[in-house]
């Protein structure tokens, strides 16, 4: 019609198209309210299919043909995902911000090693993500979810509760014991995405230091021997060992200096931390040389 200047009647006859089909315009059925409520119900009832959701909509007075509900259900991508493997805990999945003070966020993970006789043991590592302080390195042959909850309760009694705890999706950390403890303690628990250890970088970095500087440097004759040596290394890590991320200070020294600067609080590193408390990082020194 546009190119050859034909009438609608003749163009439809040449195209073998019914004029009523050509003239049809889709009517707005006013589905926005239905669509919005369907999304809300699907979020609340994650294991309900479109038929059950349709029944709930009907109870609320939003009656619709099951074919319409299915069409909207499919357009919104609300299909129930098939479960694979065992049940996983439902922690937060939103992006995390860097902590701005001590005791704001803890991260934890496990490291395995062996005694000199070949028996395996595990360590539970808990790190403060702001000060880099190793809060605990618990050593035992078995560390269940109940034991992890007990150790976290002990740390909270000593230091106070953090706002958030970060971990991977290990079986101990997604157990019913941990879920009950989180609900009772009222602490936000963030599970990193499966197969993404970089999302738990602070404790992963600590694990590397622990293995390189302690576990690989000693032979442990017994579990008591391992606990003594590892605890002595943890104290040295917190009080003596210089950390380049803290300007060459140890975690304990860094925290004390910030508290002395502003009593009762810790300032975040980066913008407001006084330059006198830190030394230039490797990146800063390279940038300075390039600018010169």
């Amino acid at each position: 019609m546009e190119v050859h200047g034909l009438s609608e009647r003749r163009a439809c006859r040449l195209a073998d198209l019914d004029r009523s089909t050509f003239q049809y315009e889709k009517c707005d059925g006013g589905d926005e309210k239905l669509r919005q409520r369907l999304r809300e119900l699907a979020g609340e009832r994650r294991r309900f299919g479109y038929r059950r959701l349709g029944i709930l909509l009907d109870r609320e007075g939003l009656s619709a043909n099951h074919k319409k509900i299915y069409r909207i259900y499919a357009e919104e991508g609300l299909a129930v995902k098939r479960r694979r493997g065992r049940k996983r805990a439902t922690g937060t999945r939103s992006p995390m911000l860097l902590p701005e003070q001590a005791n704001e966020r803890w991260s934890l993970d496990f490291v395995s090693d062996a005694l000199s006789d070949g028996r395996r043991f595990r360590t539970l590592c808990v790190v403060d993500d702001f000060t880099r302080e190793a809060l605990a390195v618990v050593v035992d042959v078995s560390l269940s979810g109940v034991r992890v909850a007990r150790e976290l309760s002990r740390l909270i009694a000593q230091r106070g509760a953090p706002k958030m705890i970060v971990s991977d999706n290990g079986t101990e950390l997604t157990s019913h014991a941990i879920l009950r403890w989180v609900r009772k303690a009222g602490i936000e628990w963030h599970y990193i995405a499966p197969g993404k250890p970089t999302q738990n970088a602070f404790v992963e970095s600590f694990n590397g230091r622990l293995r390189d500087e302690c576990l690989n440097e000693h032979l442990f004759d017994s579990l008591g021997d391992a606990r003594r040596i590892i605890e002595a290394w943890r104290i040295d890590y917190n009080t003596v060992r210089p950390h380049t991320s803290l300007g060459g200070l140890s975690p304990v020294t860094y925290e004390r200096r910030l508290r002395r600067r502003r009593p009762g609080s810790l300032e975040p590193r980066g913008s407001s931390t006084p330059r006198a408390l830190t030394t230039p990082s490797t990146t800063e020194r390279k940038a300075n040389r390039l600018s010169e």
Side-chain angles (χ1 to χ4, degrees):
M1 289 167 63
E2 294 177 356
V3 175
H4 300 286
L6 300 178
S7 66
E8 177 186 299
R9 186 185 302 274
R10 187 173 183 186
C12 288
R13 186 165 59 248
L14 291 174
D16 194 21
L17 176 67
D18 193 277
R19 289 178 63 197
S20 62
T21 303
F22 175 76
Q23 295 171 355
Y24 174 79
E25 294 182 2
K26 184 177 179 180
C27 300
D28 183 6
D31 297 336
E32 188 55 38
K33 184 178 180 180
L34 178 67
R35 187 182 296 269
Q36 176 64 27
R37 186 55 184 152
L38 183 61
R39 284 198 300 262
E40 294 173 356
L41 286 174
E44 297 170 4
R45 310 276 187 170
R46 298 191 303 163
R47 304 306 299 174
F48 278 18
Y50 77 96
R51 295 184 184 275
R52 291 183 187 275
L53 295 175
I55 295 173
L56 296 179
L57 290 171
D58 187 59
R59 290 177 182 176
E60 298 180 5
L62 297 174
S63 300
N65 185 284
H66 71 279
K67 290 184 287 185
K68 174 185 279 192
I69 293 177
Y70 178 76
R71 174 176 57 80
I72 299 174
Y73 182 83
E75 290 174 354
E76 295 294 324
L78 303 177
V80 177
K81 304 297 187 296
R82 182 181 178 184
R83 291 193 184 276
R84 295 184 180 275
R86 64 180 192 81
K87 180 173 64 177
R88 294 291 184 182
T90 54
T92 60
R93 296 284 185 181
S94 56
M96 294 186 300
L97 300 177
L98 291 175
E100 297 184 347
Q101 60 183 3
N103 224 35
E104 181 176 334
R105 191 176 76 205
W106 297 354
S107 56
L108 52 89
D109 198 8
F110 295 95
V111 177
S112 299
D113 204 64
L115 302 176
S116 57
D117 59 5
R119 286 189 300 160
R120 304 292 299 179
F121 68 88
R122 306 183 74 197
T123 63
L124 169 65
C125 305
V126 186
V127 174
D128 188 303
D129 289 356
F130 181 76
T131 64
R132 309 295 201 273
E133 181 181 358
L135 306 181
V137 182
V138 182
V139 181
D140 214 328
V141 292
S142 176
L143 294 168
S144 64
V146 175
R147 177 67 181 281
V148 173
R150 187 165 68 244
E151 293 296 336
L152 290 175
S153 297
R154 179 182 62 82
L155 280 176
I156 289 174
Q158 295 175 353
R159 304 175 56 89
K163 295 181 181 178
M164 177 187 288
I165 296 177
V166 183
S167 76
D168 59 20
N169 295 269
T171 55
E172 302 88 351
L173 305 177
T174 56
S175 63
H176 289 294
I178 290 296
L179 296 180
R180 285 194 298 267
W181 182 86
V182 170
R183 185 168 58 251
K184 181 178 179 180
I187 298 174
E188 182 180 359
W189 195 294
H190 181 99
Y191 290 101
I192 65 174
K196 300 290 184 180
T198 54
Q199 294 181 6
N200 203 12
F202 293 104
V203 74
E204 290 291 345
S205 175
F206 173 80
N207 291 347
R209 305 286 78 73
L210 171 64
R211 184 169 297 283
D212 183 55
E213 299 176 12
C214 182
L215 300 182
N216 291 348
E217 292 293 311
H218 296 87
L219 287 175
F220 307 112
D221 295 327
S222 64
L223 201 60
D225 190 36
R227 287 171 176 162
R228 177 180 56 80
I229 294 175
I230 293 174
E231 179 62 17
W233 179 86
R234 185 188 72 87
I235 295 174
D236 179 82
Y237 180 91
N238 289 336
T239 58
V240 179
R241 184 185 185 277
H243 290 245
T244 55
S245 61
L246 304 179
L249 303 176
S250 68
V252 171
T253 304
Y254 177 78
E255 181 177 354
R256 286 175 181 172
R257 290 198 180 185
L258 287 182
R259 287 190 180 279
R260 193 180 304 125
R261 174 102 180 157
R262 176 181 286 183
S265 67
L266 285 176
E267 300 177 1
R269 285 189 301 281
S271 58
S272 58
T273 302
R275 298 294 296 172
L277 298 185
T278 62
T279 59
S281 64
T282 303
T283 304
E284 291 173 338
R285 289 196 295 270
K286 290 181 179 178
N288 292 336
R289 286 199 297 269
L290 289 173
S291 63
E292 293 173 356

